[in-house]
Structure formats: structure tokens, C-alpha cells
Amino acid sequence: MPGPVPKRSDQRRRRNEPDGPALVKAEAGKAPTVPRADGSWHPIAKQWFQSLKDSGQAQFYEQSDWLAAGLSTSVVGVRPVDAPFPSRRAQPRFPVPATLPPCHT
């Protein structure tokens, strides 16, 4: 490659300024309360919820994350173990319109 040999990194002058304001660190909140698994949940839902607890990222979860996980698991996990999955041809519980109404913004 033609041209002079570049300067060593300790001899270079930095010309670009950092973007934006300096970082501000917030204090950590109190540790969240992890909800208990409900006994009526489907076994797979219980496994998923337990996997969240055991995850390495669980240390970063906030109270809202645990509540969302509990809500999601309770909605998904209420199907009885012996209940069959609905077929693809099953009718929806609520009528689905053929077209959506126009949006007014």
C-alpha cells in the first residue's frame, strides 16, 4: 500500500469528540420479587418460567419483566394437560372481519 507508515497508536492525536453528553449512572433499584409458578400452569409453561429464573440474564430483570413473564405464562399455561390443541380449521372465538375499517389519524 503506497504512502507513509502510519503513526503508532500512542503517538496519534485524537481529533473526534465523543458523541452526546457524558454517561450518568443511575442507582440500582431494589431487587424484584419473583412471582411463584402457579400449579394450574401447563408443564411446558412451568419449564419456561423456571428457565427464566435460571437464566444468566435473570440478574438484569426488573419487576416489570417478572410481572410480564408471569402474565404471559398464566395466559399460555392455563390449557389443561389433557386438552387437545385446536386444529387449524377451528373457527375463531371472535368473528374476524374480512377487511379492516379505515384508520383515521
Side-chain angles (χ1 to χ4, degrees), residues 21-88:
L23 290 177
V24 177
K25 291 189 176 185
E27 291 183 27
K30 65 179 187 173
T33 308
V34 181
R36 291 179 169 221
D38 190 341
S40 65
W41 290 349
H42 188 274
I44 295 174
K46 289 180 189 177
Q47 288 176 349
W48 177 75
F49 193 75
Q50 186 61 43
S51 73
L52 290 177
K53 289 181 179 182
D54 297 341
S55 169
Q57 292 186 356
Q59 62 183 330
F60 301 112
Y61 291 172
E62 297 287 337
Q63 188 67 40
S64 59
D65 299 322
W66 284 115
L67 291 176
L71 176 65
S72 301
T73 309
S74 64
V75 169
V76 171
V78 294
R79 187 181 72 79
V81 177
D82 56 348
F85 282 103
S87 69
R88 291 180 184 237

